[in-house]
Amino acid sequence: MTDAAEEYAFLWNGTEEGWVVVQTEVGETIYNSRTRRALLIEDDDLACQVIHLMHEHGCPSLDSMP
């Protein structure tokens, strides 16, 4: 895992609950269903890598905002 991706490990390692990937009109969005906040990663390549890792680690994927 890269250093940059390790920075976002809280999304899938259980230290913060509620993180999901939501399919939106513009693509996949990282969203916390408990706090109702989205996480914006400005680097598109890093965002894709983090979302891929979330999928690999079994984070839920939703078709719409909860």
Side-chain angles (χ1 to χ4, degrees):
M1 190 179 322
T2 66
D3 290 338
E6 285 181 23
E7 179 181 346
Y8 295 97
F10 67 92
L11 297 169
W12 58 80
N13 70 10
T15 56
E16 284 190 28
E17 293 184 18
W19 290 105
V20 299
V21 177
V22 180
Q23 185 63 44
T24 66
E25 293 176 8
V26 296
E28 293 180 304
T29 300
I30 301 170
Y31 182 76
N32 189 299
S33 59
R34 296 179 125 208
T35 63
R36 297 184 181 190
R37 65 181 177 147
L39 177 66
L40 174 64
I41 301 174
E42 292 183 6
D43 180 321
D44 290 340
D45 292 333
L46 177 59
C48 287
Q49 182 183 10
V50 170
I51 289 170
H52 176 77
L53 287 166
M54 290 178 74
H55 288 302
E56 278 189 348
H57 287 90
C59 291
S61 295
L62 306 176
D63 292 332
S64 62
M65 294 298 234

PDB file of all heavy atoms in Angstrom, residues 22-49:
ATOM      1  N   VAL A  22     -20.708   5.593  -2.770  1.00  0.00           N
ATOM      2  CA  VAL A  22     -22.033   5.843  -3.349  1.00  0.00           C
ATOM      3  C   VAL A  22     -21.869   6.169  -4.828  1.00  0.00           C
ATOM      4  O   VAL A  22     -21.054   7.009  -5.208  1.00  0.00           O
ATOM      5  CB  VAL A  22     -22.742   7.026  -2.635  1.00  0.00           C
ATOM      6  CG1 VAL A  22     -24.110   7.271  -3.245  1.00  0.00           C
ATOM      7  CG2 VAL A  22     -22.861   6.756  -1.153  1.00  0.00           C
ATOM      8  N   GLN A  23     -22.658   5.485  -5.644  1.00  0.00           N
ATOM      9  CA  GLN A  23     -22.677   5.775  -7.077  1.00  0.00           C
ATOM     10  C   GLN A  23     -23.544   7.016  -7.292  1.00  0.00           C
ATOM     11  O   GLN A  23     -24.704   7.044  -6.900  1.00  0.00           O
ATOM     12  CB  GLN A  23     -23.242   4.587  -7.861  1.00  0.00           C
ATOM     13  CG  GLN A  23     -23.178   4.755  -9.345  1.00  0.00           C
ATOM     14  CD  GLN A  23     -21.741   4.858  -9.853  1.00  0.00           C
ATOM     15  OE1 GLN A  23     -20.877   4.114  -9.445  1.00  0.00           O
ATOM     16  NE2 GLN A  23     -21.504   5.796 -10.746  1.00  0.00           N
ATOM     17  N   THR A  24     -22.968   8.056  -7.893  1.00  0.00           N
ATOM     18  CA  THR A  24     -23.706   9.285  -8.167  1.00  0.00           C
ATOM     19  C   THR A  24     -23.686   9.565  -9.665  1.00  0.00           C
ATOM     20  O   THR A  24     -23.065   8.820 -10.428  1.00  0.00           O
ATOM     21  CB  THR A  24     -23.082  10.488  -7.420  1.00  0.00           C
ATOM     22  OG1 THR A  24     -21.784  10.739  -7.942  1.00  0.00           O
ATOM     23  CG2 THR A  24     -23.010  10.233  -5.921  1.00  0.00           C
ATOM     24  N   GLU A  25     -24.317  10.633 -10.081  1.00  0.00           N
ATOM     25  CA  GLU A  25     -24.342  11.004 -11.492  1.00  0.00           C
ATOM     26  C   GLU A  25     -22.958  11.299 -12.041  1.00  0.00           C
ATOM     27  O   GLU A  25     -22.713  11.150 -13.229  1.00  0.00           O
ATOM     28  CB  GLU A  25     -25.250  12.223 -11.696  1.00  0.00           C
ATOM     29  CG  GLU A  25     -26.705  11.951 -11.436  1.00  0.00           C
ATOM     30  CD  GLU A  25     -27.559  13.188 -11.558  1.00  0.00           C
ATOM     31  OE1 GLU A  25     -27.066  14.240 -11.994  1.00  0.00           O
ATOM     32  OE2 GLU A  25     -28.748  13.100 -11.204  1.00  0.00           O
ATOM     33  N   VAL A  26     -22.045  11.733 -11.189  1.00  0.00           N
ATOM     34  CA  VAL A  26     -20.705  12.098 -11.635  1.00  0.00           C
ATOM     35  C   VAL A  26     -19.663  11.013 -11.357  1.00  0.00           C
ATOM     36  O   VAL A  26     -18.489  11.209 -11.648  1.00  0.00           O
ATOM     37  CB  VAL A  26     -20.249  13.437 -11.010  1.00  0.00           C
ATOM     38  CG1 VAL A  26     -21.132  14.576 -11.471  1.00  0.00           C
ATOM     39  CG2 VAL A  26     -20.239  13.349  -9.496  1.00  0.00           C
ATOM     40  N   GLY A  27     -20.070   9.909 -10.811  1.00  0.00           N
ATOM     41  CA  GLY A  27     -19.142   8.820 -10.506  1.00  0.00           C
ATOM     42  C   GLY A  27     -19.306   8.351  -9.075  1.00  0.00           C
ATOM     43  O   GLY A  27     -20.334   8.582  -8.441  1.00  0.00           O
ATOM     44  N   GLU A  28     -18.289   7.711  -8.564  1.00  0.00           N
ATOM     45  CA  GLU A  28     -18.341   7.185  -7.205  1.00  0.00           C
ATOM     46  C   GLU A  28     -17.887   8.252  -6.206  1.00  0.00           C
ATOM     47  O   GLU A  28     -16.927   8.976  -6.449  1.00  0.00           O
ATOM     48  CB  GLU A  28     -17.460   5.951  -7.086  1.00  0.00           C
ATOM     49  CG  GLU A  28     -17.994   4.778  -7.889  1.00  0.00           C
ATOM     50  CD  GLU A  28     -17.129   3.555  -7.773  1.00  0.00           C
ATOM     51  OE1 GLU A  28     -15.921   3.659  -8.083  1.00  0.00           O
ATOM     52  OE2 GLU A  28     -17.648   2.506  -7.371  1.00  0.00           O
ATOM     53  N   THR A  29     -18.603   8.312  -5.086  1.00  0.00           N
ATOM     54  CA  THR A  29     -18.326   9.292  -4.041  1.00  0.00           C
ATOM     55  C   THR A  29     -18.092   8.566  -2.719  1.00  0.00           C
ATOM     56  O   THR A  29     -18.812   7.617  -2.403  1.00  0.00           O
ATOM     57  CB  THR A  29     -19.517  10.260  -3.883  1.00  0.00           C
ATOM     58  OG1 THR A  29     -19.725  10.928  -5.123  1.00  0.00           O
ATOM     59  CG2 THR A  29     -19.282  11.273  -2.792  1.00  0.00           C
ATOM     60  N   ILE A  30     -17.107   9.011  -1.978  1.00  0.00           N
ATOM     61  CA  ILE A  30     -16.844   8.465  -0.642  1.00  0.00           C
ATOM     62  C   ILE A  30     -17.719   9.234   0.342  1.00  0.00           C
ATOM     63  O   ILE A  30     -17.675  10.461   0.402  1.00  0.00           O
ATOM     64  CB  ILE A  30     -15.357   8.602  -0.286  1.00  0.00           C
ATOM     65  CG1 ILE A  30     -14.496   7.869  -1.312  1.00  0.00           C
ATOM     66  CG2 ILE A  30     -15.096   8.080   1.127  1.00  0.00           C
ATOM     67  CD1 ILE A  30     -13.006   8.154  -1.184  1.00  0.00           C
ATOM     68  N   TYR A  31     -18.527   8.501   1.110  1.00  0.00           N
ATOM     69  CA  TYR A  31     -19.549   9.128   1.953  1.00  0.00           C
ATOM     70  C   TYR A  31     -19.625   8.399   3.282  1.00  0.00           C
ATOM     71  O   TYR A  31     -19.502   7.167   3.333  1.00  0.00           O
ATOM     72  CB  TYR A  31     -20.885   9.048   1.222  1.00  0.00           C
ATOM     73  CG  TYR A  31     -22.048   9.678   1.930  1.00  0.00           C
ATOM     74  CD1 TYR A  31     -22.208  11.054   1.974  1.00  0.00           C
ATOM     75  CD2 TYR A  31     -23.005   8.886   2.553  1.00  0.00           C
ATOM     76  CE1 TYR A  31     -23.293  11.626   2.632  1.00  0.00           C
ATOM     77  CE2 TYR A  31     -24.090   9.451   3.200  1.00  0.00           C
ATOM     78  CZ  TYR A  31     -24.235  10.821   3.240  1.00  0.00           C
ATOM     79  OH  TYR A  31     -25.300  11.395   3.874  1.00  0.00           O
ATOM     80  N   ASN A  32     -19.846   9.157   4.348  1.00  0.00           N
ATOM     81  CA  ASN A  32     -20.038   8.552   5.650  1.00  0.00           C
ATOM     82  C   ASN A  32     -21.521   8.595   5.987  1.00  0.00           C
ATOM     83  O   ASN A  32     -22.099   9.675   6.172  1.00  0.00           O
ATOM     84  CB  ASN A  32     -19.224   9.274   6.736  1.00  0.00           C
ATOM     85  CG  ASN A  32     -19.239   8.519   8.036  1.00  0.00           C
ATOM     86  OD1 ASN A  32     -20.285   8.298   8.621  1.00  0.00           O
ATOM     87  ND2 ASN A  32     -18.073   8.097   8.492  1.00  0.00           N
ATOM     88  N   SER A  33     -22.128   7.427   6.064  1.00  0.00           N
ATOM     89  CA  SER A  33     -23.568   7.335   6.299  1.00  0.00           C
ATOM     90  C   SER A  33     -23.955   7.684   7.737  1.00  0.00           C
ATOM     91  O   SER A  33     -25.120   7.963   8.004  1.00  0.00           O
ATOM     92  CB  SER A  33     -24.068   5.931   5.951  1.00  0.00           C
ATOM     93  OG  SER A  33     -23.406   4.960   6.736  1.00  0.00           O
ATOM     94  N   ARG A  34     -23.007   7.693   8.650  1.00  0.00           N
ATOM     95  CA  ARG A  34     -23.304   8.053  10.037  1.00  0.00           C
ATOM     96  C   ARG A  34     -23.250   9.553  10.251  1.00  0.00           C
ATOM     97  O   ARG A  34     -24.107  10.132  10.903  1.00  0.00           O
ATOM     98  CB  ARG A  34     -22.334   7.363  10.989  1.00  0.00           C
ATOM     99  CG  ARG A  34     -22.476   5.862  10.963  1.00  0.00           C
ATOM    100  CD  ARG A  34     -21.501   5.224  11.899  1.00  0.00           C
ATOM    101  NE  ARG A  34     -22.306   4.382  12.782  1.00  0.00           N
ATOM    102  CZ  ARG A  34     -21.990   4.074  14.006  1.00  0.00           C
ATOM    103  NH1 ARG A  34     -20.887   4.515  14.527  1.00  0.00           N
ATOM    104  NH2 ARG A  34     -22.769   3.300  14.710  1.00  0.00           N
ATOM    105  N   THR A  35     -22.205  10.188   9.723  1.00  0.00           N
ATOM    106  CA  THR A  35     -22.026  11.621   9.927  1.00  0.00           C
ATOM    107  C   THR A  35     -22.637  12.458   8.802  1.00  0.00           C
ATOM    108  O   THR A  35     -22.704  13.679   8.914  1.00  0.00           O
ATOM    109  CB  THR A  35     -20.529  11.981  10.020  1.00  0.00           C
ATOM    110  OG1 THR A  35     -19.887  11.665   8.781  1.00  0.00           O
ATOM    111  CG2 THR A  35     -19.857  11.246  11.164  1.00  0.00           C
ATOM    112  N   ARG A  36     -23.014  11.789   7.721  1.00  0.00           N
ATOM    113  CA  ARG A  36     -23.592  12.430   6.534  1.00  0.00           C
ATOM    114  C   ARG A  36     -22.652  13.454   5.913  1.00  0.00           C
ATOM    115  O   ARG A  36     -23.052  14.550   5.537  1.00  0.00           O
ATOM    116  CB  ARG A  36     -24.939  13.060   6.862  1.00  0.00           C
ATOM    117  CG  ARG A  36     -25.945  12.030   7.291  1.00  0.00           C
ATOM    118  CD  ARG A  36     -27.275  12.638   7.527  1.00  0.00           C
ATOM    119  NE  ARG A  36     -28.190  11.591   7.949  1.00  0.00           N
ATOM    120  CZ  ARG A  36     -29.467  11.744   8.055  1.00  0.00           C
ATOM    121  NH1 ARG A  36     -30.021  12.896   7.788  1.00  0.00           N
ATOM    122  NH2 ARG A  36     -30.222  10.749   8.429  1.00  0.00           N
ATOM    123  N   ARG A  37     -21.383  13.051   5.802  1.00  0.00           N
ATOM    124  CA  ARG A  37     -20.422  13.927   5.138  1.00  0.00           C
ATOM    125  C   ARG A  37     -19.711  13.139   4.043  1.00  0.00           C
ATOM    126  O   ARG A  37     -19.495  11.935   4.160  1.00  0.00           O
ATOM    127  CB  ARG A  37     -19.421  14.512   6.119  1.00  0.00           C
ATOM    128  CG  ARG A  37     -18.531  13.502   6.763  1.00  0.00           C
ATOM    129  CD  ARG A  37     -17.566  14.139   7.758  1.00  0.00           C
ATOM    130  NE  ARG A  37     -16.799  13.064   8.381  1.00  0.00           N
ATOM    131  CZ  ARG A  37     -15.566  13.177   8.762  1.00  0.00           C
ATOM    132  NH1 ARG A  37     -14.937  14.318   8.635  1.00  0.00           N
ATOM    133  NH2 ARG A  37     -14.938  12.162   9.301  1.00  0.00           N
ATOM    134  N   ALA A  38     -19.379  13.858   3.000  1.00  0.00           N
ATOM    135  CA  ALA A  38     -18.632  13.269   1.891  1.00  0.00           C
ATOM    136  C   ALA A  38     -17.163  13.604   2.061  1.00  0.00           C
ATOM    137  O   ALA A  38     -16.813  14.620   2.662  1.00  0.00           O
ATOM    138  CB  ALA A  38     -19.149  13.804   0.564  1.00  0.00           C
ATOM    139  N   LEU A  39     -16.313  12.756   1.521  1.00  0.00           N
ATOM    140  CA  LEU A  39     -14.883  12.995   1.556  1.00  0.00           C
ATOM    141  C   LEU A  39     -14.419  13.301   0.142  1.00  0.00           C
ATOM    142  O   LEU A  39     -14.600  12.487  -0.762  1.00  0.00           O
ATOM    143  CB  LEU A  39     -14.143  11.772   2.087  1.00  0.00           C
ATOM    144  CG  LEU A  39     -12.619  11.868   2.096  1.00  0.00           C
ATOM    145  CD1 LEU A  39     -12.160  12.945   3.079  1.00  0.00           C
ATOM    146  CD2 LEU A  39     -12.002  10.535   2.448  1.00  0.00           C
ATOM    147  N   LEU A  40     -13.852  14.468  -0.055  1.00  0.00           N
ATOM    148  CA  LEU A  40     -13.340  14.875  -1.352  1.00  0.00           C
ATOM    149  C   LEU A  40     -11.836  14.683  -1.375  1.00  0.00           C
ATOM    150  O   LEU A  40     -11.123  15.205  -0.520  1.00  0.00           O
ATOM    151  CB  LEU A  40     -13.673  16.342  -1.619  1.00  0.00           C
ATOM    152  CG  LEU A  40     -13.069  16.949  -2.872  1.00  0.00           C
ATOM    153  CD1 LEU A  40     -13.632  16.255  -4.113  1.00  0.00           C
ATOM    154  CD2 LEU A  40     -13.330  18.434  -2.918  1.00  0.00           C
ATOM    155  N   ILE A  41     -11.368  13.910  -2.347  1.00  0.00           N
ATOM    156  CA  ILE A  41      -9.940  13.755  -2.587  1.00  0.00           C
ATOM    157  C   ILE A  41      -9.679  14.436  -3.924  1.00  0.00           C
ATOM    158  O   ILE A  41     -10.168  13.992  -4.964  1.00  0.00           O
ATOM    159  CB  ILE A  41      -9.528  12.270  -2.625  1.00  0.00           C
ATOM    160  CG1 ILE A  41      -9.871  11.587  -1.294  1.00  0.00           C
ATOM    161  CG2 ILE A  41      -8.043  12.141  -2.946  1.00  0.00           C
ATOM    162  CD1 ILE A  41      -9.630  10.095  -1.279  1.00  0.00           C
ATOM    163  N   GLU A  42      -8.943  15.526  -3.900  1.00  0.00           N
ATOM    164  CA  GLU A  42      -8.777  16.360  -5.092  1.00  0.00           C
ATOM    165  C   GLU A  42      -7.934  15.712  -6.180  1.00  0.00           C
ATOM    166  O   GLU A  42      -8.077  16.038  -7.344  1.00  0.00           O
ATOM    167  CB  GLU A  42      -8.205  17.718  -4.700  1.00  0.00           C
ATOM    168  CG  GLU A  42      -9.189  18.530  -3.886  1.00  0.00           C
ATOM    169  CD  GLU A  42      -8.685  19.912  -3.532  1.00  0.00           C
ATOM    170  OE1 GLU A  42      -7.599  20.302  -4.018  1.00  0.00           O
ATOM    171  OE2 GLU A  42      -9.370  20.602  -2.777  1.00  0.00           O
ATOM    172  N   ASP A  43      -7.054  14.801  -5.834  1.00  0.00           N
ATOM    173  CA  ASP A  43      -6.227  14.093  -6.809  1.00  0.00           C
ATOM    174  C   ASP A  43      -7.056  12.926  -7.356  1.00  0.00           C
ATOM    175  O   ASP A  43      -7.339  11.958  -6.644  1.00  0.00           O
ATOM    176  CB  ASP A  43      -4.957  13.593  -6.123  1.00  0.00           C
ATOM    177  CG  ASP A  43      -4.025  12.838  -7.047  1.00  0.00           C
ATOM    178  OD1 ASP A  43      -4.497  12.066  -7.896  1.00  0.00           O
ATOM    179  OD2 ASP A  43      -2.806  13.008  -6.893  1.00  0.00           O
ATOM    180  N   ASP A  44      -7.466  13.000  -8.617  1.00  0.00           N
ATOM    181  CA  ASP A  44      -8.340  11.989  -9.203  1.00  0.00           C
ATOM    182  C   ASP A  44      -7.730  10.590  -9.170  1.00  0.00           C
ATOM    183  O   ASP A  44      -8.437   9.608  -8.906  1.00  0.00           O
ATOM    184  CB  ASP A  44      -8.709  12.352 -10.645  1.00  0.00           C
ATOM    185  CG  ASP A  44      -9.647  13.539 -10.728  1.00  0.00           C
ATOM    186  OD1 ASP A  44     -10.312  13.852  -9.724  1.00  0.00           O
ATOM    187  OD2 ASP A  44      -9.708  14.158 -11.807  1.00  0.00           O
ATOM    188  N   ASP A  45      -6.432  10.483  -9.444  1.00  0.00           N
ATOM    189  CA  ASP A  45      -5.780   9.175  -9.428  1.00  0.00           C
ATOM    190  C   ASP A  45      -5.787   8.579  -8.022  1.00  0.00           C
ATOM    191  O   ASP A  45      -6.067   7.391  -7.842  1.00  0.00           O
ATOM    192  CB  ASP A  45      -4.343   9.270  -9.944  1.00  0.00           C
ATOM    193  CG  ASP A  45      -4.282   9.592 -11.429  1.00  0.00           C
ATOM    194  OD1 ASP A  45      -5.241   9.252 -12.168  1.00  0.00           O
ATOM    195  OD2 ASP A  45      -3.273  10.189 -11.852  1.00  0.00           O
ATOM    196  N   LEU A  46      -5.503   9.403  -7.026  1.00  0.00           N
ATOM    197  CA  LEU A  46      -5.528   8.931  -5.643  1.00  0.00           C
ATOM    198  C   LEU A  46      -6.948   8.548  -5.240  1.00  0.00           C
ATOM    199  O   LEU A  46      -7.153   7.524  -4.591  1.00  0.00           O
ATOM    200  CB  LEU A  46      -4.964   9.994  -4.698  1.00  0.00           C
ATOM    201  CG  LEU A  46      -5.004   9.646  -3.213  1.00  0.00           C
ATOM    202  CD1 LEU A  46      -4.230   8.364  -2.916  1.00  0.00           C
ATOM    203  CD2 LEU A  46      -4.472  10.807  -2.386  1.00  0.00           C
ATOM    204  N   ALA A  47      -7.932   9.348  -5.627  1.00  0.00           N
ATOM    205  CA  ALA A  47      -9.324   9.036  -5.299  1.00  0.00           C
ATOM    206  C   ALA A  47      -9.715   7.678  -5.875  1.00  0.00           C
ATOM    207  O   ALA A  47     -10.339   6.863  -5.182  1.00  0.00           O
ATOM    208  CB  ALA A  47     -10.247  10.126  -5.818  1.00  0.00           C
ATOM    209  N   CYS A  48      -9.349   7.420  -7.116  1.00  0.00           N
ATOM    210  CA  CYS A  48      -9.643   6.124  -7.740  1.00  0.00           C
ATOM    211  C   CYS A  48      -8.965   4.989  -6.985  1.00  0.00           C
ATOM    212  O   CYS A  48      -9.556   3.930  -6.769  1.00  0.00           O
ATOM    213  CB  CYS A  48      -9.211   6.121  -9.195  1.00  0.00           C
ATOM    214  SG  CYS A  48     -10.273   7.093 -10.266  1.00  0.00           S
ATOM    215  N   GLN A  49      -7.714   5.216  -6.573  1.00  0.00           N
ATOM    216  CA  GLN A  49      -6.980   4.198  -5.823  1.00  0.00           C
ATOM    217  C   GLN A  49      -7.654   3.923  -4.481  1.00  0.00           C
ATOM    218  O   GLN A  49      -7.825   2.768  -4.082  1.00  0.00           O
ATOM    219  CB  GLN A  49      -5.539   4.659  -5.607  1.00  0.00           C
ATOM    220  CG  GLN A  49      -4.684   3.662  -4.873  1.00  0.00           C
ATOM    221  CD  GLN A  49      -3.279   4.169  -4.616  1.00  0.00           C
ATOM    222  OE1 GLN A  49      -2.967   5.340  -4.812  1.00  0.00           O
ATOM    223  NE2 GLN A  49      -2.419   3.293  -4.154  1.00  0.00           N
TER     224      GLN A  49
END
